[in-house]
């Protein structure tokens, strides 16, 4: 399994940060590995909302269908996608801490079947990709990276 976690501190409000992070269409703004996000189900972000997320992949782009499976506004959400090759789960936590807002973003990628042999290589690449996304997210939130 490949995992990347980052925490970012910002002076923006919990509600503002959650509104930005919970709309997965914004991933294309801050995640350099995300090319396009289209909301395919639901009128606004929330439980059971679905998004087609197209990510860069060597050789050809991959589109994963994510569904929001946990929704505890304005503090937590989990979005999950599953394909023949992998399971992807993104967890977002937003909370007030010492007069500022702390957002923690965790992305897990689990390869399935014979693809699991590539877990180690995926993990190494995922850390590089995750760090680039964390730097960009901290810029978009006018914040600073605390971990990750």
């Amino acid at each position: 399994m490949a995992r990347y976690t980052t925490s970012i501190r910002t002076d923006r409000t919990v509600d503002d940060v959650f509104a930005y992070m919970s709309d997965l269409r914004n991933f294309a703004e801050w995640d350099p590995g995300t090319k396009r996000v289209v909301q395919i189900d639901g009128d606004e972000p929330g439980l059971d909302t679905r998004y087609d997320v197209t990510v860069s992949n060597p050789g050809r782009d991959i589109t994963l269908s994510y569904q929001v499976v946990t929704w505890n506004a304005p503090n937590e959400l989990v979005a999950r996608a599953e394909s023949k090759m992998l399971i992807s789960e993104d967890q977002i936590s937003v909370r007030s801490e010492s007069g500022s807002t702390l957002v923690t973003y965790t992305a897990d990628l689990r390869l399935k079947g014979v693809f699991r042999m590539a877990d180690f290589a995926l993990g190494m690449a995922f850390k590089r990709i995750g760090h680039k996304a964390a730097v960009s997210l901290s810029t978009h939130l006018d914040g600073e990276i605390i971990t990750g």
Side-chain angles (χ1 to χ4, degrees):
M1 176 175 70
R3 170 176 273 198
Y4 185 79
T5 298
T6 189
S7 293
I8 296 168
R9 185 180 318 281
T10 180
D11 289 333
R12 292 187 180 187
T13 67
V14 167
D15 289 336
D16 183 42
V17 172
F18 189 81
Y20 182 76
M21 296 299 296
S22 66
D23 187 343
L24 272 59
R25 292 173 293 187
N26 291 326
F27 280 30
E29 289 183 9
W30 60 266
D31 183 351
T34 300
K35 294 185 108 175
R36 180 177 57 257
V37 181
V38 177
Q39 187 170 343
I40 59 171
D41 203 9
D43 295 330
E44 57 187 37
L47 187 63
D48 295 329
T49 303
R50 292 178 356 124
Y51 300 85
D52 277 349
V53 179
T54 303
V55 295
S56 300
N57 187 51
R60 68 180 174 94
D61 295 340
I62 296 174
T63 299
L64 297 168
S65 183
Y66 278 82
Q67 180 173 353
V68 176
V69 296
T70 300
W71 180 267
N72 296 310
N75 300 110
E76 176 190 27
L77 76 91
V78 176
R80 187 175 194 276
E82 186 167 355
S83 71
K84 293 178 187 178
M85 291 177 39
L86 62 85
I87 297 170
S88 178
E89 192 168 274
D90 292 16
Q91 303 165 358
I92 298 166
S93 167
V94 182
R95 63 185 162 90
S96 181
E97 183 179 275
S98 302
S100 59
T101 297
L102 185 68
V103 58
T104 300
Y105 174 80
T106 302
D108 287 323
L109 276 179
R110 293 183 295 266
L111 295 174
K112 295 166 67 176
V114 297
F115 300 106
R116 282 190 286 192
M117 295 185 312
D119 262 345
F120 181 75
L122 176 64
M124 298 301 288
F126 202 48
K127 286 182 184 183
R128 286 189 304 275
I129 293 166
H131 181 71
K132 288 179 184 177
V135 169
S136 180
L137 180 58
S138 69
T139 299
H140 278 82
L141 294 178
D142 301 316
E144 64 175 318
I145 297 172
I146 303 302
T147 61

